[in-house]
Protein backbone atom coordinates (compact mmCIF):
# COMPACT_ATOMS: atom_id res chain seq x y z
CA UNK A 1 0.00 0.00 0.00
CA UNK A 2 1.52 3.30 -1.03
CA UNK A 3 1.92 5.54 1.96
CA UNK A 4 -0.07 8.71 1.26
CA UNK A 5 0.81 9.98 4.68
CA UNK A 6 -2.83 10.36 5.69
CA UNK A 7 -2.23 7.91 8.50
CA UNK A 8 -0.62 10.71 10.48
CA UNK A 9 -4.10 12.09 11.09
CA UNK A 10 -5.48 8.71 12.08
CA UNK A 11 -3.26 8.46 15.11
CA UNK A 12 -5.38 9.03 18.18
CA UNK A 13 -2.47 10.55 19.99
CA UNK A 14 -1.70 13.04 17.22
CA UNK A 15 -5.36 14.02 16.98
CA UNK A 16 -5.61 14.53 20.73
CA UNK A 17 -2.56 16.78 20.68
CA UNK A 18 -3.83 18.83 17.73
CA UNK A 19 -7.15 19.33 19.50
CA UNK A 20 -5.39 20.50 22.64
CA UNK A 21 -3.42 22.91 20.43
CA UNK A 22 -6.62 24.18 18.87
CA UNK A 23 -8.00 24.59 22.39
CA UNK A 24 -5.02 26.77 23.29
CA UNK A 25 -5.57 28.92 20.23
CA UNK A 26 -9.26 29.32 20.96
CA UNK A 27 -8.70 30.03 24.63
CA UNK A 28 -6.40 32.96 23.87
CA UNK A 29 -8.68 34.19 21.11
CA UNK A 30 -11.90 34.00 23.14
CA UNK A 31 -10.43 35.65 26.23
CA UNK A 32 -8.88 38.47 24.21
CA UNK A 33 -12.06 38.99 22.16
CA UNK A 34 -14.23 39.14 25.28
CA UNK A 35 -11.94 41.66 26.97
CA UNK A 36 -11.60 43.71 23.77
CA UNK A 37 -15.32 43.97 23.13
CA UNK A 38 -16.13 45.21 26.63
CA UNK A 39 -13.11 47.48 27.02
CA UNK A 40 -13.47 48.67 23.42
CA UNK A 41 -17.00 49.94 24.09
CA UNK A 42 -15.73 52.20 26.86
CA UNK A 43 -12.63 53.13 24.91
CA UNK A 44 -14.83 54.10 21.95
CA UNK A 45 -17.07 56.26 24.16
CA UNK A 46 -13.93 57.91 25.51
CA UNK A 47 -12.72 58.56 21.96
CA UNK A 48 -15.84 60.59 21.15
CA UNK A 49 -14.73 63.00 23.87
CA UNK A 50 -14.43 66.60 22.77
CA UNK A 51 -11.54 67.03 25.19
CA UNK A 52 -8.45 67.27 22.97
CA UNK A 53 -6.04 65.82 25.50
CA UNK A 54 -8.17 62.72 26.10
CA UNK A 55 -8.73 62.27 22.40
CA UNK A 56 -5.01 62.77 21.68
CA UNK A 57 -3.94 60.10 24.16
CA UNK A 58 -6.52 57.65 22.77
CA UNK A 59 -5.35 58.34 19.26
CA UNK A 60 -1.69 57.70 20.07
CA UNK A 61 -2.59 54.41 21.74
CA UNK A 62 -4.61 53.31 18.72
CA UNK A 63 -1.92 54.24 16.21
CA UNK A 64 0.74 52.49 18.29
CA UNK A 65 -1.11 49.21 17.79
CA UNK A 66 -1.88 49.90 14.16
CA UNK A 67 1.67 50.75 13.16
CA UNK A 68 3.70 48.26 15.20
CA UNK A 69 3.28 44.61 14.08
CA UNK A 70 1.60 42.29 16.55
CA UNK A 71 4.65 40.04 16.71
CA UNK A 72 6.78 42.96 17.88
CA UNK A 73 4.26 43.71 20.63
CA UNK A 74 4.36 40.10 21.75
CA UNK A 75 8.16 40.13 21.94
CA UNK A 76 8.16 43.53 23.59
CA UNK A 77 5.83 42.36 26.33
CA UNK A 78 7.33 38.89 26.70
CA UNK A 79 11.04 39.75 26.74
CA UNK A 80 10.53 43.34 27.86
CA UNK A 81 8.75 42.24 31.01
CA UNK A 82 11.55 39.81 31.75
CA UNK A 83 14.11 42.61 31.57
CA UNK A 84 11.96 45.18 33.32
CA UNK A 85 10.67 43.06 36.20
CA UNK A 86 13.22 40.30 36.21
CA UNK A 87 10.50 37.67 36.03
CA UNK A 88 9.43 35.48 33.21
CA UNK A 89 5.78 36.12 32.50
CA UNK A 90 3.80 33.19 31.23
CA UNK A 91 3.51 33.21 27.43
CA UNK A 92 -0.21 32.56 27.61
CA UNK A 93 -0.72 35.53 29.91
CA UNK A 94 1.41 37.81 27.74
CA UNK A 95 -0.51 36.71 24.65
CA UNK A 96 -3.89 37.50 26.19
CA UNK A 97 -2.66 40.92 27.36
CA UNK A 98 -1.15 41.81 23.98
CA UNK A 99 -4.17 40.67 21.99
CA UNK A 100 -6.57 42.43 24.35
CA UNK A 101 -4.65 45.68 24.08
CA UNK A 102 -4.69 45.49 20.31
CA UNK A 103 -8.34 44.40 20.16
CA UNK A 104 -9.41 47.18 22.50
CA UNK A 105 -7.73 49.78 20.32
CA UNK A 106 -9.30 48.51 17.11
CA UNK A 107 -12.70 47.87 18.69
CA UNK A 108 -12.66 51.36 20.20
CA UNK A 109 -12.11 52.92 16.81
CA UNK A 110 -15.03 50.93 15.38
CA UNK A 111 -17.28 52.03 18.25
CA UNK A 112 -16.19 55.65 17.89
CA UNK A 113 -16.89 55.62 14.16
CA UNK A 114 -20.37 54.25 14.59
CA UNK A 115 -21.28 56.56 17.47
CA UNK A 116 -20.39 59.68 15.52
CA UNK A 117 -22.20 58.37 12.44
CA UNK A 118 -25.58 58.69 14.18
CA UNK A 119 -27.09 61.96 12.90
CA UNK A 120 -27.29 64.84 15.35
CA UNK A 121 -31.03 65.07 14.60
CA UNK A 122 -31.62 61.77 16.34
CA UNK A 123 -30.20 63.17 19.57
CA UNK A 124 -32.23 66.37 19.23
CA UNK A 125 -35.43 64.42 18.63
CA UNK A 126 -34.80 62.45 21.78
CA UNK A 127 -34.10 65.56 23.80
CA UNK A 128 -37.16 67.29 22.37
CA UNK A 129 -39.24 64.45 23.82
CA UNK A 130 -37.76 65.19 27.23
CA UNK A 131 -35.37 62.24 27.39
CA UNK A 132 -32.29 62.77 29.54
CA UNK A 133 -28.75 62.49 28.14
CA UNK A 134 -28.36 58.89 29.31
CA UNK A 135 -31.86 57.90 28.19
CA UNK A 136 -31.07 59.31 24.76
CA UNK A 137 -27.86 57.27 24.69
CA UNK A 138 -29.56 54.12 25.91
CA UNK A 139 -32.71 54.11 23.79
CA UNK A 140 -31.67 55.98 20.67
CA UNK A 141 -27.92 56.30 20.08
CA UNK A 142 -26.43 53.03 21.36
CA UNK A 143 -29.01 50.66 19.79
CA UNK A 144 -28.40 52.26 16.40
CA UNK A 145 -24.63 52.33 16.89
CA UNK A 146 -24.52 48.63 17.86
CA UNK A 147 -26.13 47.63 14.60
CA UNK A 148 -23.48 49.53 12.70
CA UNK A 149 -20.69 48.05 14.82
CA UNK A 150 -21.59 44.40 14.20
CA UNK A 151 -20.08 43.82 10.73
CA UNK A 152 -16.69 45.43 11.44
CA UNK A 153 -16.52 44.00 14.96
CA UNK A 154 -16.99 40.46 13.65
CA UNK A 155 -14.40 41.13 10.99
CA UNK A 156 -12.02 42.15 13.78
CA UNK A 157 -12.81 39.00 15.76
CA UNK A 158 -11.91 36.70 12.88
CA UNK A 159 -8.70 38.68 12.35
CA UNK A 160 -7.86 38.20 16.01
CA UNK A 161 -8.50 34.45 15.86
CA UNK A 162 -6.18 34.12 12.88
CA UNK A 163 -3.45 36.31 14.31
CA UNK A 164 -3.23 34.16 17.46
CA UNK A 165 -1.01 31.84 15.41
CA UNK A 166 1.79 34.28 16.32
CA UNK A 167 1.76 33.21 19.96
CA UNK A 168 3.82 30.21 18.93
CA UNK A 169 6.81 32.58 19.10
CA UNK A 170 6.39 33.22 22.80
CA UNK A 171 6.25 29.52 23.54
CA UNK A 172 2.53 28.96 23.91
CA UNK A 173 1.26 25.53 22.99
CA UNK A 174 -1.20 26.20 20.25
CA UNK A 175 -2.27 24.32 17.15
CA UNK A 176 0.53 25.48 14.84
CA UNK A 177 3.24 24.52 17.32
CA UNK A 178 1.73 21.09 17.92
CA UNK A 179 1.46 20.57 14.18
CA UNK A 180 5.13 21.38 13.65
CA UNK A 181 6.15 18.96 16.39
CA UNK A 182 4.16 16.16 14.82
CA UNK A 183 5.62 16.89 11.39
CA UNK A 184 9.15 16.88 12.72
CA UNK A 185 8.60 13.67 14.66
CA UNK A 186 7.34 11.90 11.52
CA UNK A 187 9.79 13.47 9.11
CA UNK A 188 11.68 10.24 8.38
CA UNK A 189 8.79 7.82 8.26
CA UNK A 190 6.18 10.04 6.67
CA UNK A 191 7.43 12.82 4.33
CA UNK A 192 3.84 13.74 3.40
CA UNK A 193 2.94 14.53 7.02
CA UNK A 194 3.37 18.28 6.58
CA UNK A 195 0.77 18.31 3.81
CA UNK A 196 -1.85 16.57 5.93
CA UNK A 197 -1.11 18.39 9.16
CA UNK A 198 -1.17 21.85 7.60
CA UNK A 199 -4.25 20.80 5.68
CA UNK A 200 -5.90 19.89 8.94
CA UNK A 201 -4.89 23.22 10.53
CA UNK A 202 -6.28 25.03 7.49
CA UNK A 203 -9.58 23.23 7.94
CA UNK A 204 -9.59 23.89 11.68
CA UNK A 205 -9.16 27.65 11.24
CA UNK A 206 -11.84 27.60 8.58
CA UNK A 207 -14.26 25.75 10.85
CA UNK A 208 -13.76 28.36 13.56
CA UNK A 209 -13.84 31.51 11.43
CA UNK A 210 -16.47 30.62 8.88
CA UNK A 211 -19.38 30.39 11.35
CA UNK A 212 -18.30 33.73 12.83
CA UNK A 213 -18.38 35.48 9.49
CA UNK A 214 -21.64 33.70 8.68
CA UNK A 215 -23.06 35.13 11.89
CA UNK A 216 -22.03 38.59 10.73
CA UNK A 217 -24.05 38.20 7.52
CA UNK A 218 -27.02 36.99 9.51
CA UNK A 219 -26.91 39.90 11.96
CA UNK A 220 -26.53 42.38 9.12
CA UNK A 221 -29.67 41.06 7.47
CA UNK A 222 -31.61 40.92 10.71
CA UNK A 223 -30.61 44.38 11.86
CA UNK A 224 -30.97 46.29 8.64
CA UNK A 225 -33.74 48.82 8.61
CA UNK B 1 -59.41 69.32 23.21
CA UNK B 2 -60.77 72.86 23.24
CA UNK B 3 -59.34 75.11 25.86
CA UNK B 4 -61.63 77.71 27.33
CA UNK B 5 -60.07 81.10 27.61
CA UNK B 6 -61.73 83.52 29.93
CA UNK B 7 -62.84 86.65 28.17
CA UNK B 8 -60.88 89.00 30.34
CA UNK B 9 -57.72 87.12 31.24
CA UNK B 10 -54.86 86.85 28.79
CA UNK B 11 -53.37 83.48 29.31
CA UNK B 12 -50.05 83.21 27.53
CA UNK B 13 -48.73 79.73 26.99
CA UNK B 14 -45.58 81.17 25.49
CA UNK B 15 -44.26 84.61 26.27
CA UNK B 16 -41.07 85.99 24.77
CA UNK B 17 -39.53 89.35 25.61
CA UNK B 18 -36.51 91.02 24.07
CA UNK B 19 -35.04 87.75 22.83
CA UNK B 20 -31.60 88.06 21.30
CA UNK B 21 -29.22 85.48 19.95
CA UNK B 22 -26.10 85.78 17.86
CA UNK B 23 -23.42 83.52 16.49
CA UNK B 24 -20.23 85.49 16.96
CA UNK B 25 -20.90 88.89 15.44
CA UNK B 26 -23.92 87.80 13.46
CA UNK B 27 -27.21 88.55 15.16
CA UNK B 28 -29.75 85.85 14.34
CA UNK B 29 -32.47 87.07 16.66
CA UNK B 30 -32.37 90.75 17.38
CA UNK B 31 -35.08 91.51 19.90
CA UNK B 32 -38.13 89.30 19.55
CA UNK B 33 -41.31 90.04 21.50
CA UNK B 34 -44.09 87.54 21.20
CA UNK B 35 -47.00 86.23 23.23
CA UNK B 36 -49.01 83.19 22.20
CA UNK B 37 -52.33 82.58 23.88
CA UNK B 38 -53.84 79.25 24.58
CA UNK B 39 -55.55 77.89 21.49
CA UNK B 40 -53.87 80.26 19.09
CA UNK B 41 -52.22 79.16 15.84
CA UNK B 42 -49.38 81.52 14.97
CA UNK B 43 -47.46 81.22 11.73
CA UNK B 44 -43.98 82.65 11.26
CA UNK B 45 -42.89 83.31 7.71
CA UNK B 46 -39.99 85.15 6.15
CA UNK B 47 -36.96 84.71 3.93
CA UNK B 48 -34.45 82.00 4.79
CA UNK B 49 -31.96 83.05 7.39
CA UNK B 50 -34.43 85.38 9.06
CA UNK B 51 -34.26 83.49 12.35
CA UNK B 52 -37.53 81.52 12.29
CA UNK B 53 -36.00 78.14 12.97
CA UNK B 54 -33.61 79.53 15.57
CA UNK B 55 -36.60 81.05 17.36
CA UNK B 56 -38.24 77.61 17.63
CA UNK B 57 -35.02 76.00 18.79
CA UNK B 58 -34.59 78.62 21.50
CA UNK B 59 -38.09 77.91 22.76
CA UNK B 60 -37.37 74.24 23.40
CA UNK B 61 -33.77 74.69 24.44
CA UNK B 62 -31.96 73.10 21.50
CA UNK B 63 -30.31 76.51 21.18
CA UNK B 64 -29.47 78.90 23.97
CA UNK B 65 -30.17 82.61 23.80
CA UNK B 66 -28.08 85.47 25.14
CA UNK B 67 -30.59 88.13 26.09
CA UNK B 68 -34.26 88.39 26.92
CA UNK B 69 -36.68 85.97 28.51
CA UNK B 70 -38.78 83.07 27.34
CA UNK B 71 -41.63 81.92 29.55
CA UNK B 72 -43.53 78.71 29.12
CA UNK B 73 -46.72 78.51 31.16
CA UNK B 74 -45.41 81.46 33.13
CA UNK B 75 -42.11 79.79 34.02
CA UNK B 76 -38.94 81.36 32.78
CA UNK B 77 -36.48 79.23 30.83
CA UNK B 78 -33.14 78.98 32.58
CA UNK B 79 -34.41 80.52 35.84
CA UNK B 80 -33.58 78.87 39.15
CA UNK B 81 -35.40 75.60 39.56
CA UNK B 82 -36.39 75.48 35.90
CA UNK B 83 -36.50 71.90 34.71
CA UNK B 84 -35.92 71.40 30.98
CA UNK B 85 -37.11 67.84 30.99
CA UNK B 86 -40.39 68.91 32.48
CA UNK B 87 -40.73 71.88 30.15
CA UNK B 88 -40.05 69.82 27.05
CA UNK B 89 -42.95 67.56 27.88
CA UNK B 90 -45.19 70.59 27.44
CA UNK B 91 -43.58 71.59 24.16
CA UNK B 92 -44.09 69.23 21.26
CA UNK B 93 -41.70 69.77 18.40
CA UNK B 94 -41.77 68.39 14.87
CA UNK B 95 -38.69 68.85 12.71
CA UNK B 96 -38.18 69.28 9.00
CA UNK B 97 -36.37 65.97 8.66
CA UNK B 98 -38.99 63.73 10.37
CA UNK B 99 -36.39 62.08 12.61
CA UNK B 100 -38.29 59.01 13.61
CA UNK B 101 -36.06 56.51 15.37
CA UNK B 102 -35.27 54.01 12.59
CA UNK B 103 -34.69 51.02 14.87
CA UNK B 104 -38.15 51.19 16.45
CA UNK B 105 -41.59 50.49 15.05
CA UNK B 106 -44.11 53.27 14.69
CA UNK B 107 -45.64 52.30 18.03
CA UNK B 108 -42.20 52.07 19.66
CA UNK B 109 -41.45 55.60 18.51
CA UNK B 110 -44.68 56.88 19.97
CA UNK B 111 -44.45 55.03 23.30
CA UNK B 112 -40.85 55.99 24.13
CA UNK B 113 -41.46 59.50 25.46
CA UNK B 114 -44.69 58.89 27.39
CA UNK B 115 -43.37 55.71 29.02
CA UNK B 116 -39.75 56.68 29.74
CA UNK B 117 -40.16 60.36 30.48
CA UNK B 118 -43.69 60.58 31.84
CA UNK B 119 -43.68 57.06 33.31
CA UNK B 120 -47.15 56.36 32.03
CA UNK B 121 -48.63 52.90 31.67
CA UNK B 122 -48.21 51.12 28.35
CA UNK B 123 -51.91 50.29 27.96
CA UNK B 124 -53.01 53.83 28.56
CA UNK B 125 -50.50 55.35 26.09
CA UNK B 126 -51.24 52.67 23.51
CA UNK B 127 -54.91 53.52 23.68
CA UNK B 128 -54.18 57.20 23.12
CA UNK B 129 -51.70 56.39 20.35
CA UNK B 130 -54.26 54.19 18.59
CA UNK B 131 -56.80 57.00 18.66
CA UNK B 132 -54.29 59.54 17.33
CA UNK B 133 -53.01 57.19 14.62
CA UNK B 134 -56.58 56.63 13.55
CA UNK B 135 -57.08 60.37 13.35
CA UNK B 136 -54.11 60.85 11.01
CA UNK B 137 -55.21 57.84 8.93
CA UNK B 138 -52.35 55.52 9.85
CA UNK B 139 -53.96 53.09 12.28
CA UNK B 140 -52.85 50.13 10.15
CA UNK B 141 -49.16 51.11 10.13
CA UNK B 142 -48.39 50.94 13.85
CA UNK B 143 -46.16 47.86 13.58
CA UNK B 144 -44.25 49.12 10.56
CA UNK B 145 -40.71 50.45 10.70
CA UNK B 146 -40.05 54.01 9.51
CA UNK B 147 -38.27 52.74 6.39
CA UNK B 148 -41.56 51.23 5.24
CA UNK B 149 -43.32 54.58 5.28
CA UNK B 150 -43.42 57.47 2.82
CA UNK B 151 -42.15 60.91 3.80
CA UNK B 152 -45.63 62.21 4.41
CA UNK B 153 -46.53 59.22 6.55
CA UNK B 154 -43.35 59.60 8.61
CA UNK B 155 -44.12 63.22 9.23
CA UNK B 156 -47.65 62.39 10.38
CA UNK B 157 -46.19 59.80 12.76
CA UNK B 158 -43.75 62.43 14.06
CA UNK B 159 -46.74 64.66 14.79
CA UNK B 160 -48.53 61.84 16.64
CA UNK B 161 -45.35 61.09 18.61
CA UNK B 162 -45.23 64.71 19.80
CA UNK B 163 -48.98 64.83 20.51
CA UNK B 164 -48.88 61.73 22.68
CA UNK B 165 -46.91 63.69 25.27
CA UNK B 166 -50.02 65.88 25.68
CA UNK B 167 -48.11 69.11 25.06
CA UNK B 168 -49.49 72.55 25.78
CA UNK B 169 -47.96 73.94 22.62
CA UNK B 170 -46.74 72.42 19.37
CA UNK B 171 -43.81 73.81 17.39
CA UNK B 172 -43.57 72.96 13.70
CA UNK B 173 -40.30 73.67 11.91
CA UNK B 174 -40.88 73.68 8.14
CA UNK B 175 -42.35 70.22 8.41
CA UNK B 176 -43.25 69.96 4.73
CA UNK B 177 -40.04 71.43 3.33
CA UNK B 178 -38.38 68.12 2.55
CA UNK B 179 -41.50 66.30 1.32
CA UNK B 180 -42.44 65.47 -2.22
CA UNK B 181 -45.17 67.87 -3.39
CA UNK B 182 -47.92 65.24 -3.45
CA UNK B 183 -47.35 64.45 0.22
CA UNK B 184 -47.47 67.97 1.53
CA UNK B 185 -51.23 68.08 1.64
CA UNK B 186 -51.75 65.09 3.93
CA UNK B 187 -49.45 66.61 6.54
CA UNK B 188 -50.94 70.09 6.34
CA UNK B 189 -54.44 68.63 6.68
CA UNK B 190 -53.45 67.03 9.96
CA UNK B 191 -52.07 70.33 11.22
CA UNK B 192 -55.15 72.20 10.09
CA UNK B 193 -57.28 69.70 11.99
CA UNK B 194 -55.23 70.27 15.13
CA UNK B 195 -55.60 74.04 14.84
CA UNK B 196 -59.37 73.71 14.44
CA UNK B 197 -59.50 71.65 17.60
CA UNK B 198 -57.83 74.43 19.49
CA UNK B 199 -54.23 73.24 19.78
CA UNK B 200 -51.80 76.05 20.52
CA UNK B 201 -49.29 76.10 17.70
CA UNK B 202 -46.28 78.02 16.47
CA UNK B 203 -45.62 77.11 12.86
CA UNK B 204 -42.70 77.99 10.63
CA UNK B 205 -43.62 77.36 6.99
CA UNK B 206 -43.08 78.37 3.41
CA UNK B 207 -46.55 77.24 2.35
CA UNK B 208 -48.37 80.54 1.95
CA UNK B 209 -51.81 79.14 1.13
CA UNK B 210 -51.59 76.92 4.17
CA UNK B 211 -50.49 79.86 6.32
CA UNK B 212 -53.57 81.76 5.17
CA UNK B 213 -55.84 78.88 6.08
CA UNK B 214 -54.38 77.93 9.44
CA UNK B 215 -53.09 81.13 11.00
CA UNK B 216 -54.90 83.16 13.62
CA UNK B 217 -51.94 85.47 13.42
CA UNK B 218 -49.02 85.83 11.05
CA UNK B 219 -45.53 86.97 12.01
CA UNK B 220 -43.35 88.23 9.21
CA UNK B 221 -39.73 87.87 10.28
CA UNK B 222 -36.78 89.51 8.60
CA UNK B 223 -33.28 90.18 9.82
CA UNK B 224 -33.87 88.68 13.25
CA UNK B 225 -36.90 90.77 14.18
CA UNK B 226 -40.65 90.50 13.72
CA UNK B 227 -40.98 93.06 10.95
CA UNK B 228 -44.75 92.83 10.67
CA UNK B 229 -47.52 91.11 12.56
CA UNK B 230 -51.22 90.79 11.95
CA UNK B 231 -54.17 88.54 11.20
CA UNK B 232 -53.70 86.28 8.21
CA UNK B 233 -56.19 88.30 6.26
CA UNK B 234 -54.61 91.68 6.99
CA UNK B 235 -51.16 90.44 6.29
CA UNK B 236 -51.73 88.65 3.01
CA UNK B 237 -54.13 91.23 1.55
CA UNK B 238 -52.57 94.45 2.74
CA UNK B 239 -49.04 94.02 4.04
CA UNK B 240 -47.92 97.37 5.37
CA UNK B 241 -44.14 97.11 5.30
CA UNK B 242 -42.25 97.23 2.07
CA UNK B 243 -40.15 94.22 3.03
CA UNK B 244 -43.23 92.07 3.51
CA UNK B 245 -44.67 93.22 0.21
CA UNK B 246 -41.48 92.30 -1.56
CA UNK B 247 -41.38 88.92 0.14
CA UNK B 248 -44.98 88.09 -0.76
CA UNK B 249 -44.43 89.17 -4.35
CA UNK B 250 -41.83 86.45 -4.81
CA UNK B 251 -44.61 83.87 -4.48
CA UNK B 252 -46.71 85.20 -7.38
CA UNK B 253 -46.15 84.62 -11.04
CA UNK B 254 -47.72 86.55 -13.85
Amino acid sequence: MPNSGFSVLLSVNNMRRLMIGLGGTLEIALLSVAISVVAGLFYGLLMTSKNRVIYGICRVYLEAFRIVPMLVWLFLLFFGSAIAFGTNLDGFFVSVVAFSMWGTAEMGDIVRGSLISIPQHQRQSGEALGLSFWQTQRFIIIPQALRRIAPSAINLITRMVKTTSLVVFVGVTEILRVGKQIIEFNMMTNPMASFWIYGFIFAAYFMVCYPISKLSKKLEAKWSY
Amino acid sequence: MTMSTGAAEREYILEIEGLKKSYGDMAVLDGINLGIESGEAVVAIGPSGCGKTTLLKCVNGLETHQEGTIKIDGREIGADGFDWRQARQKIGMVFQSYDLFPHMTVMGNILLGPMQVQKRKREEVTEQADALLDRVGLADRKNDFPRQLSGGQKQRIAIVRALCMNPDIMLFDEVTASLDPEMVREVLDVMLGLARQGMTMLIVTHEMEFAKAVADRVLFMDGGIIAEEGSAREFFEKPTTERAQRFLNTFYFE
Side-chain angles (χ1 to χ4, degrees), chain A residues 51-104:
Chain A
N51 184 321
R52 286 179 156 213
V53 178
I54 294 178
Y55 180 76
I57 293 171
C58 291
R59 195 80 221 173
V60 168
Y61 176 77
L62 171 66
E63 294 304 332
F65 277 92
R66 284 239 172 107
I67 293 165
V68 181
M70 221 25 228
L71 186 58
V72 176
W73 276 111
L74 279 171
F75 282 161
L76 212 63
L77 287 172
F78 189 64
F79 298 113
S81 68
I83 294 165
F85 310 116
T87 53
N88 271 324
L89 288 181
D90 176 35
F92 179 85
F93 176 76
V94 166
S95 302
V96 171
V97 170
F99 277 92
S100 300
M101 286 172 77
W102 169 50
T104 302

Side-chain angles (χ1 to χ4, degrees), chain B residues 121-155:
Chain B
K121 288 249 178 331
R122 176 183 288 273
E123 301 76 51
E124 181 236 340
V125 190
T126 309
E127 202 174 306
Q128 185 186 6
D130 280 333
L132 286 169
L133 283 173
D134 193 42
R135 209 163 92 189
V136 302
L138 292 171
D140 54 335
R141 309 310 292 270
K142 62 180 169 186
N143 294 320
D144 286 2
F145 282 90
R147 71 183 133 85
Q148 296 167 293
L149 305 174
S150 71
Q153 289 171 330
K154 283 187 215 175
Q155 202 54 295

Side-chain angles (χ1 to χ4, degrees), chain B residues 7-28:
Chain B
E9 70 194 271
R10 287 212 133 194
E11 189 189 319
Y12 287 123
I13 297 269
L14 175 68
E15 202 176 354
I16 298 174
E17 271 173 39
L19 182 69
K20 288 192 182 179
K21 169 164 186 74
S22 53
Y23 296 109
D25 287 341
M26 200 182 65
V28 187

Side-chain angles (χ1 to χ4, degrees), chain A residues 121-132 135 138-141 143-144 147 224-225, chain B residues 57 60 62 85 88 91 93 95 97 99-104 112 116-117 119 147 161 165:
Chain A
H121 281 135
Q122 288 284 313
R123 189 183 301 279
Q124 289 186 344
S125 286
E127 284 174 7
L129 282 174
L131 295 172
S132 70
Q135 282 179 321
R138 180 177 152 205
F139 294 112
I140 297 167
I141 308 297
Q144 292 185 58
R147 288 163 162 81
S224 66
Y225 45 75
Chain B
K57 286 191 167 173
N60 87 341
L62 293 174
R85 293 190 62 197
R88 283 189 177 131
I91 311 166
M93 177 141 182
F95 298 84
S97 48
D99 295 316
L100 296 180
F101 308 127
H103 59 298
M104 297 178 182
L112 183 65
Q116 295 302 329
V117 179
K119 308 289 177 203
R147 71 183 133 85
R161 183 173 71 179
M165 299 287 286

Side-chain angles (χ1 to χ4, degrees), chain B residues 151-209:
Chain B
Q153 289 171 330
K154 283 187 215 175
Q155 202 54 295
R156 282 184 279 161
I157 298 296
I159 293 173
V160 169
R161 183 173 71 179
L163 283 175
C164 236
M165 299 287 286
N166 297 319
D168 291 345
I169 182 170
M170 287 283 285
L171 311 176
F172 293 91
D173 183 16
E174 298 189 28
V175 291
T176 58
S178 52
L179 294 181
D180 291 336
E182 71 269 24
M183 293 172 180
V184 168
R185 186 59 192 252
E186 64 193 42
V187 175
L188 296 183
D189 279 341
V190 167
M191 292 165 67
L192 203 56
L194 278 177
R196 299 251 158 90
Q197 284 178 323
M199 174 55 83
T200 314
M201 302 158 84
L202 176 54
I203 303 164
V204 168
T205 186
H206 286 296
E207 303 282 341
M208 293 303 140
E209 290 303 315

